[in-house]
Amino acid sequence: MKSKIVILCLGLLYGSCGEQSIREEQAAEEVTYKPVPGFNADSAYAFVQKQVDFGPRVPNTPAHRETGDWLTGKLAAYGFSVSEQEFTARAYDGKELQLRNIIGSYRPEASKRILLAAHWDTRRIADKDSERIDEPIDGANDGGSGVGVLLEIARVLHTDTLQPDVGIDIIFFDGEDDGEPEHRNFRDGSQVWWCLGSQHWSKNPHARGYTAFYGILVDMVGGKNARFYKEGYSIQYAKNLVDRVWNYAHELGYGDFFPMRKTEAITDDHLFVNQDANIPMINIIEFSPDYGFGHYHHTHQDNMDLIDRKSLEVVGETVLFTIFQE
C-alpha cells in the first residue's frame, strides 16, 4: 500500500463589517500518512486453515499442544523474541486446565510498544448448537481468524523493507473460550470464567514493568459480511484510539465494514488488559447492536466455510495502517 495523501478543505469564514455578508474561502491542509506494506489475505487465510487442520484447540488435548508449538515456531521464524507463560487455571466446572500464553516481541529494544492480541484456544462445547452440543468446535473464526491476521502481520514485519517506528508485541492468549455454557451462570461475583489467559497475564506480565502505548485485540474478524462496531469497553477505556482506528478504516475505503455506530460492552481479553494491566486496549470484534454475535457463534458452523478473505484483509490492513502511523 503506497502512502496516502488526504486533502482536508477547511472553510474559513470572514465577516464584512458594512455589508452583512460572509465570504467563504477554501484553505488546503495536506495530511500525509506514512507508507504501509501490503497485507496478504491468502496468507492469512492459510494460517487460519492450518489451525483448523490441527483440530479443535481445546486445552489439555494434543491438538492444543501441537498448535501452541506451531505458533511459537512461526513467531520465532519471523524474527520475534518468543516467550511462553505456562500456568494452571480452574474452569467453571472444576476442571483443571493446563494453559500457556504465547508472547512474541518484535524490535524488543524499542521503548514505545504496541500490543496486538488474539486468543488461540477454542471452545470445548457447542452450547449454542442444536446437535453435537458436547463436542468441541473448529473455531475457525472464534480464535482462528484473529490469530491468522496477527501471524500475517508478523510475516509482513519480517519480510518487508518498510518497518514501523515502534516495537510490536503479539500475545496469543489461552483459555479465553472456556466459560460457562449458554444460559447458565456460575459466577459468584469473585470469578469470571472467561478470558483466563488475559486475566493471568494482565496481573502477571511476561516482563517486569511491561507496558505498551496501546493495544488492539482482534476476535472473530474473518466471517463473511462481517461488521465491526465500536464496542462498549473499548469506548470506555480508549475512545480516542477507537475513533482513530475507525477513521483510518474509512480512509482506506472500508467504511462499510467499520460502521460509525456503538454496540454494548463485551467481556473479552481487552477488558482485563485495560483493568489490570492499565494498557488502553480496543477490541475489533464482530458483534452487532441489533442481534449480537453471528449465527455461527459457539456452534459447529464456525468452520472454514465461514471464513472470508476480504474480511481478513480489511482488518489486517486497518491494523497494519494504524501501527505504521506511530
Side-chain angles (χ1 to χ4, degrees), residues 104-163:
S105 296
Y106 191 77
R107 294 189 61 208
E109 75 283 357
S111 57
K112 184 177 182 179
R113 312 204 62 77
I114 306 299
L115 172 61
L116 307 178
H119 76 89
W120 68 279
D121 62 304
T122 55
R123 191 151 177 77
R124 57 175 151 130
I125 54 175
D127 48 317
K128 287 187 177 181
D129 214 320
S130 58
E131 55 185 29
R132 297 165 53 209
I133 296 173
D134 294 328
E135 295 182 21
I137 66 173
D138 286 348
N141 199 28
D142 195 355
S145 63
V147 171
V149 164
L150 296 191
L151 280 180
E152 172 57 11
I153 288 176
R155 187 195 67 80
V156 169
L157 293 175
H158 179 63
T159 59
D160 204 281
T161 56
L162 292 174
Q163 292 293 300

Side-chain angles (χ1 to χ4, degrees), residues 14-15 21 31 72 74 86 98-99 129 134 139-140 161 185 223 241 259-260 263 275 300 304 306 312:
Y14 296 90
S21 63
V31 178
T72 58
K74 295 303 287 186
E86 297 184 354
Q98 303 301 320
L99 304 176
D129 214 320
D134 294 328
T161 56
N185 192 340
L241 179 58
M260 295 296 190
T263 192
Q275 285 184 344
H300 293 293
M304 286 306 296
L306 178 70
L312 297 172

Side-chain angles (χ1 to χ4, degrees), residues 202-217:
S202 296
K203 295 176 181 177
N204 308 276
H206 64 286
R208 183 186 297 272
Y210 174 84
T211 190
F213 188 53
Y214 63 74
I216 300 176
L217 174 69

Side-chain angles (χ1 to χ4, degrees), residues 45-117:
Y45 183 92
F47 288 139
V48 179
Q49 179 71 71
K50 179 67 174 179
Q51 294 171 82
V52 172
D53 288 345
F54 279 113
R57 282 84 65 207
V58 175
N60 301 355
T61 66
H64 181 265
R65 183 180 63 254
E66 292 165 6
T67 305
D69 293 344
W70 175 74
L71 291 174
T72 58
K74 295 303 287 186
L75 288 175
Y78 292 147
F80 282 67
S81 299
V82 183
S83 60
E84 296 186 27
Q85 192 177 55
E86 297 184 354
F87 64 103
T88 300
R90 194 166 298 280
Y92 65 90
D93 57 355
K95 186 174 184 178
E96 192 172 87
L97 304 176
Q98 303 301 320
L99 304 176
R100 59 171 160 166
N101 294 324
I102 298 168
I103 304 103
S105 296
Y106 191 77
R107 294 189 61 208
E109 75 283 357
S111 57
K112 184 177 182 179
R113 312 204 62 77
I114 306 299
L115 172 61
L116 307 178

